[in-house]
Amino acid sequence: MAMRALKPLAAPLLLAALMWPATHARAQGEAPAEAASATQGYLLPSPELQAIVDAPRPPGMSLSPRRDLIAYTRRPSLPGIDVVAQPELQLAGLRIHPRTHSRSAFSFADDLWLQAVDGGGERAVEGLPRPLALSSLQWSPDQRHIAFSHVDTGAGRVELWLVDVAAARARRLLERPLGSVVGSGFDWLPGGDGLIALLRPAGQRAAPGHDGVPTGPNVQETQGDGRVQSLRTYQDLLANPHDEALFAHYMTSQLVKVGLDGRTTDIGAPAMYVGASVSPDGRHLLRQRIERPFSYLVPYTRFPRRIDVIDLEGRLLHTVATLPLVEGLPPGNDAVAAGVRGIGWRADAPATLVWAEAQDGGDPAREAAVRDRVFAHAAPFTGAPEALADLSMRYGGIQWGHGELALLTEYWWKTRQMREWRLSPDGGPAPRLLREGSFEDRYADPGSPVMQADDRGFARLLTTAGGESIYRIGLGASPEGDRPFLDRQDLAGGGTERLFHSQAPWYEVPVALLDAGATRILTSRESPTRPQNVLLRTLGTDADPVALTDFAHPTPALRGVTKEQIRYARADGVELTADLYLPPGHDAERDGPLPMLVWAYPREFKSADAASQVRGSPYEFNYISYWGPLPFLAKGYAVLDGPTMPIVGEGDAEPNDTYVEQLVASARAAVDEVVRRGVADRDRIAVGGHSYGAFMTANLLAHSDLFRAGIARSGAYNRSLTPFGFQAEERNYWEATGVYHAMSPFDHADRINEPLLLIHGEEDNNSGTFPMQSERMYAAIKGLGGTARLVMLPRESHGYRARESILHMLAETEAWLERHVGERERR
């Protein structure tokens, strides 16, 4: 179920998992995997790499609405391939688990407990289902309860459970299973005296079967009208009438009102729901439903949609819009669909809908003084909607405070410009511009306004000084690296007071304010050798912070890894940044250069100044995740992680017009710098990346001789297969054929004379990165006499999920590096 606009899970505090543990281990001393035949099973990497996969990770954390309790959830090890390989339907852009009638997911929390912010021991929650598979969690607005969904795969159902917070005891709330394949499937009513939920319809028949015998060809036809549209490439689309029937079956659910005693009341008839949100006064429901006709070209988010308002008995009060199927948009990243979009409840009013509509037909090429108009319409929804704001750019959203304060943002992708306005939504002064500039400019970012759930559970601006001051939390980007901060901003006078600023040698991020005066805050603090832990700080005093958590180093064998944030310049003067990691105990002056793995991801910019800004912090924890390049520090490699590879197009120039030249220049500058520092052997450097980083890797091998080998995971290599744009490229293939050709490493496969390891999930769901991209790239290199290895991971998506797949990915990469740049290659 789509959640209310701007409503968080009761001000959650989420800490990223540092490691994903595993359950099996390889015998000590076993050698890394070598090249094997096409019939090989899953391989295991060396024990040092397995230890990284097996490392523990800290629990997830969710802060209560009153900000005095924390709910912790524990995540278990990676699922096995037997779990990931369960039946999965791929329909209209969704991955659906047919047995549980829910969106596919394979990793769940397996424990839940509570702790007071002001101290005290942890409280175990009694009565939890065992084994627990917690999918999503929400505090009630009054903090008396926590609702969570539990996935019982064996029974084929997703259950709604309730925790009595005072008693720390859980119970199953409903006998009927949840039935939403979009979102969590439940949401609290304002005040916390009940919920709304999407359940499987009572008496629903079994899913439509199919004997596999075609009933005829699948036909599509277009009647040309001369308009050029952008038709992006998507995965998991509907392909035939049986797919349509399955999609309709699993999308259909029954909206109900649920009491705390478990009694339910149906709200209307079953329908294909994609959203249902309660108004702040608890008397109205914004309902969004998918309608036919479906499409074989776009995902469900583009299907026809009916948006209306009903009461909690299901009576229709108002029809907001009936939106048509949208199979294409005008060209450009600033293009939007015509009609109502971004609709939601105004958080600080009883029942007022707010949305935007394009006034230029959604076409950025059309001249228009007003691009978007923002409307408001209050219950009982009689008369015409009120125009709240006219925008010369695209609507980016509103953060609500009170009747005299709301913050509205607008943006224009083409120029990377943004504006933030102060509105008086109840009438009064005209909108006042608070700031404008480039959203690429990290140094000028004043931070994001602090939001806090009100008594009804809706997120609103946290204000002080009579509602005229707000708080902002930002990363604090600077030439010295990121230094997170907390500011209080006087909107009336324009002044800003800094309340907290991260100081070396720590990287400390404010994550929650515990009171409106910001006297007490929670922060997340880390250093290169200390993982993230949560602190309670009292501002304005000399008191030491109180540690609420004490998470141990997840990979103690790699505690001695050293990291340095380095700066260097490419030939055109653009400043670049990278994190240079060296294995424990390595001294470049004493021990000499090492083989190195460079891992990167290019990004586009409209400003060389913005492209030159420092990203990241030298004081962040040396987080060794199995997903990136850092595990190979355990094998004695130096690692250059995240070297910036900016692709800049200033003024009327498009960044990708000189993609290859800028990419090679950035890579050359990085290689020259690590060689100058004496940490890397120029003849033993490999390059790698995932997705667009894989695309980068193949291009660097095709257009330079800087690297000895490449590792490309889940990439796209032939841009004619993404003909209506990719990444930030707005032009289609026929507008910029030369650019598409120049950027496609497939077109230059004859120039790839270094070994390339290609890894791809067989069921990649990411737009553009079809598995065929890696298969055809491998075939091209093989046919042209080059050296390559293709690894297709069964049942894996764009990000790999099964433990066996992750271990195999590491084993393949380990063997590839050892063979082509490692110690054996040197011998």
Side-chain angles (χ1 to χ4, degrees), residues 498-520:
R498 180 134 300 174
L499 304 178
F500 173 84
H501 203 182
S502 181
Q503 301 293 324
W506 299 98
Y507 180 77
E508 190 168 358
V509 184
V511 291
L513 279 65
L514 302 185
D515 56 77
T519 58
R520 300 196 312 156

Side-chain angles (χ1 to χ4, degrees), residues 534-556:
V534 179
L535 304 182
L536 172 61
R537 280 191 173 274
T538 302
L539 300 183
T541 72
D542 296 328
D544 291 332
V546 177
L548 300 185
T549 61
D550 186 20
F551 301 132
H553 197 296
T555 52

Side-chain angles (χ1 to χ4, degrees), residues 684-760:
R684 293 193 297 151
I685 303 178
V687 63
H690 185 86
S691 194
Y692 207 52
F695 173 73
M696 170 208 74
T697 297
N699 264 308
L700 286 171
L701 297 191
H703 298 290
S704 78
D705 292 311
L706 294 168
F707 302 100
R708 188 64 180 268
I711 299 113
R713 298 195 324 226
S714 299
Y717 310 104
N718 182 348
R719 285 302 169 194
S720 70
L721 298 178
T722 55
F724 288 97
F726 54 91
Q727 289 296 112
E729 179 56 59
E730 299 183 286
R731 299 164 294 182
N732 66 42
Y733 174 82
W734 298 272
E735 289 178 284
T737 306
V739 172
Y740 277 65
H741 167 70
M743 291 182 67
S744 295
F746 178 86
D747 292 4
H748 307 282
D750 58 327
R751 300 178 61 182
I752 296 179
N753 53 16
E754 297 87 6
L756 178 60
L757 173 62
L758 296 157
I759 304 176
H760 214 120

Side-chain angles (χ1 to χ4, degrees), residues 271-581:
M272 291 183 284
Y273 280 94
V274 289
S277 58
V278 190
S279 60
D281 66 5
R283 298 170 56 194
H284 305 78
L285 279 168
L286 175 63
R287 178 176 65 176
Q288 300 192 51
R289 297 170 292 167
I290 292 291
E291 297 184 330
R292 294 179 183 270
F294 302 150
S295 171
Y296 295 1
L297 291 177
V298 293
Y300 78 96
T301 53
R302 299 283 193 89
F303 289 0
R305 180 175 300 204
R306 182 177 296 273
I307 306 173
D308 50 35
V309 179
I310 59 175
D311 63 19
L312 268 68
E313 283 69 49
R315 291 185 290 264
L316 179 66
L317 302 178
H318 174 62
T319 297
V320 179
T322 301
L323 302 178
L325 172 68
V326 179
E327 288 191 321
L329 292 173
N333 290 337
D334 291 303
V336 295
V340 172
R341 72 177 202 278
I343 189 167
W345 294 110
R346 178 178 156 183
D348 64 332
T352 298
L353 291 172
V354 179
W355 70 90
E357 293 188 38
Q359 304 300 297
D360 57 3
D363 187 353
R366 183 184 300 179
E367 293 294 330
V370 176
R371 293 285 183 184
D372 274 358
R373 179 164 291 150
V374 182
F375 292 95
H377 205 189
F381 311 107
T382 56
E386 171 195 359
L388 194 61
D390 282 346
L391 308 178
S392 62
M393 296 190 270
R394 290 290 180 229
Y395 172 64
I398 296 181
Q399 294 160 306
W400 304 101
H402 49 76
E404 297 179 2
L405 174 62
L407 301 182
L408 180 149
T409 57
E410 59 176 328
Y411 70 92
W412 196 248
W413 171 264
K414 186 75 172 180
T415 60
R416 312 299 200 271
Q417 294 297 298
M418 64 80 62
R419 296 192 188 105
E420 182 182 58
W421 298 88
R422 175 180 177 165
L423 305 182
S424 297
D426 283 351
R432 180 163 65 89
L433 184 64
L434 294 182
R435 66 184 178 106
E436 65 177 326
S438 170
F439 56 73
E440 292 181 335
D441 187 356
R442 301 179 74 245
Y443 291 177
D445 185 358
S448 300
V450 174
M451 309 295 291
Q452 203 150 272
D454 63 17
D455 292 341
R456 297 175 295 188
F458 284 78
R460 295 169 61 178
L461 292 164
L462 180 61
T463 62
T464 187
E468 284 300 308
S469 290
I470 63 170
Y471 297 96
R472 291 183 185 270
I473 293 174
L475 289 177
S478 73
E480 291 74 42
D482 293 351
R483 294 181 57 203
F485 63 83
L486 168 66
D487 282 353
R488 180 161 42 220
Q489 181 182 8
D490 180 357
L491 296 177
T496 297
E497 177 187 4
R498 180 134 300 174
L499 304 178
F500 173 84
H501 203 182
S502 181
Q503 301 293 324
W506 299 98
Y507 180 77
E508 190 168 358
V509 184
V511 291
L513 279 65
L514 302 185
D515 56 77
T519 58
R520 300 196 312 156
I521 66 171
L522 293 182
T523 68
S524 171
R525 190 173 75 171
E526 61 193 273
S527 74
T529 59
R530 297 287 299 274
Q532 286 181 348
N533 276 287
V534 179
L535 304 182
L536 172 61
R537 280 191 173 274
T538 302
L539 300 183
T541 72
D542 296 328
D544 291 332
V546 177
L548 300 185
T549 61
D550 186 20
F551 301 132
H553 197 296
T555 52
L558 295 174
R559 188 187 302 273
V561 163
T562 60
K563 176 180 68 177
E564 181 182 0
Q565 187 177 71
I566 63 174
R567 292 281 281 167
Y568 51 98
R570 73 183 189 193
D572 62 0
V574 174
E575 294 288 325
L576 307 174
T577 308
D579 287 333
L580 173 62
Y581 292 86

Side-chain angles (χ1 to χ4, degrees), residues 804-824:
E804 290 87 343
S805 301
I806 296 299
L807 291 171
H808 190 95
M809 173 193 77
L810 290 172
E812 293 279 1
T813 306
E814 181 181 9
W816 199 254
L817 289 173
E818 186 69 7
R819 189 187 320 164
H820 297 294
V821 302
E823 290 299 324
R824 264 191 315 164

